[in-house]
């Protein structure tokens, strides 16, 4: 389970289109959020985060204690056939995550927490009248308003939680975790929001139950099975 010596940003990270350089990573654009599962360097995100970037070099970028960022190249990727979910494989360091798929069925009033990299925090630093790309991890919490099964405008899939709080563009792909769970159980993946001027603004997460049995070719087991190998 999560230890005090750990940091959430070591497991939840931005995905970016970037150029690798000898002295680090030159980020071209930040695409969204992802989070590690299991122990083999796999991470889950939203399908639309990586859509259209098939010919681009993608990296997972992690903050260094000394400042700056380090990028691990994404060496493989695969998308779910129906839901807004994707799996990516990171190169590099030994990986082991404390996030695991909840393997449960949740309903309205379930309390959740979420970490992601929204655009409003990524581009808030300005120097020389120009916004500097600097992703910053943001915490969000709320409750499930309702389960929703069906199509939604501009959002892929048919299996959702409607969430009480809007995490913002850039948080897509972030883990939605059940607060009352004994471990860091993921009940969904943040996929988008609906902003209204005259009504309640809400957001949506794809429900974990709709993709837990998915067996990607790059993994050769279900994502649920991989996620069960958590830190202790």
């Amino acid at each position: 389970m999560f230890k005090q010596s750990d940091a959430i940003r070591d497991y939840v990270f931005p995905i970016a289109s970037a150029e690798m350089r000898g002295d680090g990573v030159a980020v071209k654009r930040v695409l969204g959020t992802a989070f590690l599962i299991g122990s083999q360097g796999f991470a889950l995100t939203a399908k639309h985060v990586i859509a259209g970037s098939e010919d681009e070099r993608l990296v997972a970028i992690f903050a260094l204690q000394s400042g700056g960022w380090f990028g691990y190249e994404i060496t493989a990727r695969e998308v779910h056939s129906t839901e807004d979910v994707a799996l990516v494989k990171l190169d590099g360091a030994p990986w082991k995550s404390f996030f695991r798929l909840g393997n449960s069925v949740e309903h309205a009033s379930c309390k959740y927490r979420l970490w992601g990299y929204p655009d409003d925090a990524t581009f808030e630093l300005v120097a020389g009248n120009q916004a500097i790309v600097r992703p910053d991890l943001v915490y969000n919490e709320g409750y499930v308003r309702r389960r929703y099964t069906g199509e939604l405008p501009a959002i892929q899939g048919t299996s959702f939680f409607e969430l009480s709080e809007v995490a913002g563009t850039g948080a897509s792909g972030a883990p939605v975790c059940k607060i009352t769970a004994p471990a860091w159980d993921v009940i969904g993946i943040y996929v988008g929001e609906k902003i209204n001027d005259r009504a309640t603004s809400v957001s949506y997460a794809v429900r974990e139950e709709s993709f837990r049995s998915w067996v990607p070719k790059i993994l050769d087991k279900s994502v649920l099975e991989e996620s069960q190998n958590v830190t202790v």
Side-chain angles (χ1 to χ4, degrees):
M1 65 192 311
F2 181 69
K3 302 183 290 296
Q4 291 297 321
S5 59
D6 292 326
I8 297 294
R9 68 182 186 180
D10 293 332
Y11 302 93
V12 181
F13 57 89
I15 291 180
S17 172
E19 297 176 353
M20 304 294 288
R21 296 179 179 174
D23 59 350
V25 177
V27 174
K28 296 165 60 179
R29 58 193 178 100
V30 178
L31 304 177
T33 302
F35 62 99
L36 290 165
I37 60 168
S39 60
Q40 302 182 77
F42 286 99
L44 287 167
T45 186
K47 182 194 301 186
H48 74 265
V49 167
I50 63 172
S53 61
E54 290 78 10
D55 297 328
E56 298 181 63
R57 170 171 282 179
L58 300 187
V59 295
I61 52 179
F62 292 84
L64 301 173
Q65 291 184 350
S66 58
W69 295 86
F70 187 85
Y72 292 95
E73 187 164 7
I74 291 176
T75 59
R77 61 186 96 169
E78 189 169 340
V79 299
H80 195 279
S81 60
T82 58
E83 301 300 327
D84 194 355
V85 178
L87 185 74
V88 297
K89 177 71 167 66
L90 280 59
D91 194 14
W95 307 101
K96 197 165 187 181
S97 176
F98 56 78
F99 287 111
R100 70 182 185 189
L101 299 187
N103 196 24
S104 62
V105 177
E106 306 301 335
H107 298 273
S109 80
C110 176
K111 295 180 179 180
Y112 72 87
R113 52 190 167 190
L114 176 156
W115 293 265
Y117 292 86
D119 288 349
D120 62 346
T122 296
F123 299 102
E124 65 184 354
L125 183 63
V126 177
N129 295 321
Q130 184 175 3
I132 299 174
V133 177
R134 189 196 65 175
D136 203 7
L137 186 66
V138 174
Y139 176 74
N140 188 281
E141 68 177 45
Y143 58 89
V144 174
R145 285 167 48 91
R146 61 170 175 158
R147 292 167 60 91
Y148 180 82
T149 301
E151 296 183 354
L152 289 168
I155 299 180
Q156 303 175 45
T158 60
S159 177
F160 303 100
F161 288 127
E162 186 177 273
L163 306 177
S164 63
E165 306 301 320
V166 172
T169 303
S172 289
V176 178
C177 298
K178 185 177 179 181
I179 288 180
T180 56
W184 294 72
D185 286 1
V186 175
I187 63 171
I189 297 175
Y190 192 87
V191 293
E193 51 271 328
K194 179 173 66 176
I195 307 297
N196 298 321
D197 293 333
R198 292 174 294 177
T200 302
S201 295
V202 296
S203 63
Y204 296 95
V206 56
R207 298 198 304 262
E208 177 267 346
E209 64 195 84
S210 70
F211 63 85
R212 68 170 69 121
S213 299
W214 177 37
V215 181
K217 294 179 181 178
I218 62 173
L219 180 58
D220 198 30
K221 69 175 72 169
S222 73
V223 290
L224 173 64
E225 183 180 354
E226 175 63 19
S227 78
Q228 300 307 299
N229 188 13
V230 296
T231 57
V232 295

